[in-house]
Amino acid sequence: MKRLFSCLTALFLAMFLLTGVRAEAAVDWGSQVIQVTGMGVAPPKSVSPAHASMQARRAAFADAYRQLLEAVQGVNVDAETTVEQMMLTSDVVRTKVTGTVQGARVVSEGELSGGGYSVTMELPLFGDKGISKAVLTPPPVVEPFPQPAPEVIPSMSADSKTGDSVGYTVVGGGERSPMAAIGGYTGLIIDCRGLSLNPVMSPVIKNVKGVKLYGHENLNYDLVVRDGMVNYATDKSMTSRAGSKPLILKAERLEDHNANPVVSEADGSRILIENGATGFLNKTAVVFLY
């Protein structure tokens, strides 16, 4: 009877795995990690309980690594390219990605009641042990940010409570010059909510004329690999990367497979002017709300 029960338990666990009823890989763009839970069962003919446990653990780790690799391959490096596409075209990238996956951190592991084994693993997108080093390449030269277009810039003030731009700034009875920085902005938040933003590792901010305002070519490569270019957040309470006084602007639309936000000409120039004052783009203090 015990032997029959053990066989049935193994069978049900195997069916549990094969039918996909399990914790699947998930890319958390807010925390910039990929987390998976692998599960495994021992073969019916294990020679001892200890041997069965070891085999189940080995199967769980193999399942977790497989899920991680699948999840990593589906990550968009930029609007046009996935990690999988890069692996197919470069043996170097494939080797680096595989090695990074093998170095994933074990979050938790343990035996399941009734038999089997479970392991949860986590892989960062950025940092020393992240996949960024494997797939992001340094630009030949660091490109300067474009110049603002003064003819389209309204003077602006910032709402003291929300940080949103609200109109013209009046100083000493007169309007501030459009080219003058309001100053003190610690970061940038682009509100893309309602536009179905597709997160990517290397996004671009453009204006409606197609001018690229912010991309990895403008930034220090080591900083991009370590921290990424932006954080993705679903609520303003999750935007600490942009600091205590962010410049908050609304995206006009998305382009390039919904990966890259587009802002108005005026807002684009305002971003460049304010960055000239405090350098928040250079520090990658940027958040996309989605």
Side-chain angles (χ1 to χ4, degrees), residues 10 30 85 177:
Q85 291 168 329
S177 166

Side-chain angles (χ1 to χ4, degrees), residues 240-260:
S240 59
R241 179 173 179 141
S244 59
K245 186 184 175 183
L247 174 63
I248 304 175
L249 300 170
K250 180 71 177 177
E252 296 280 317
R253 62 177 186 265
L254 302 175
E255 290 185 350
D256 310 315
H257 307 289
N258 280 14
N260 298 327

Side-chain angles (χ1 to χ4, degrees), residues 4 29 33-35 46 60 85 100 105 109 117 131-132 134-135 144 147 152 158-159 161 167 183-184 189 201 237:
L4 176 61
W29 286 96
V33 298
I34 301 172
Q35 189 174 97
S46 300
Q85 291 168 329
T100 302
R105 182 175 74 92
E109 62 174 300
Y117 205 89
I131 65 172
S132 54
V135 298
Q147 294 298 309
V152 299
D159 186 288
K161 293 183 179 179
I189 297 175
M201 295 184 70
S237 64

Side-chain angles (χ1 to χ4, degrees), residues 131-273:
I131 65 172
S132 54
K133 279 188 175 181
V135 298
L136 297 178
T137 56
V141 295
V142 177
E143 298 178 3
F145 291 103
Q147 294 298 309
E151 67 274 10
V152 299
I153 309 172
S155 299
M156 295 187 341
S157 64
D159 186 288
S160 60
K161 293 183 179 179
T162 67
D164 294 326
S165 56
V166 295
Y168 293 90
T169 299
V170 178
V171 180
E175 185 182 300
R176 180 181 294 184
S177 166
M179 287 296 288
I182 295 171
Y185 285 116
T186 56
L188 172 66
I189 297 175
I190 302 293
D191 190 343
C192 306
R193 288 175 293 186
L195 298 177
S196 300
L197 179 67
N198 177 34
V200 299
M201 295 184 70
S202 180
V204 171
I205 300 174
K206 298 186 286 187
N207 71 15
V208 292
K209 293 293 187 180
V211 176
K212 184 171 67 175
L213 309 173
Y214 180 71
H216 80 275
E217 298 92 345
N218 307 119
L219 304 170
N220 177 278
Y221 171 75
D222 292 332
L223 183 61
V224 172
V225 167
R226 188 189 73 189
D227 298 333
M229 292 178 57
V230 305
N231 265 16
Y232 290 89
T234 55
D235 187 84
K236 286 185 180 180
S237 64
M238 304 162 63
T239 58
S240 59
R241 179 173 179 141
S244 59
K245 186 184 175 183
L247 174 63
I248 304 175
L249 300 170
K250 180 71 177 177
E252 296 280 317
R253 62 177 186 265
L254 302 175
E255 290 185 350
D256 310 315
H257 307 289
N258 280 14
N260 298 327
V262 177
V263 298
S264 69
E265 277 192 276
D267 284 349
S269 290
R270 178 54 56 189
I271 290 170
L272 296 171
I273 291 170

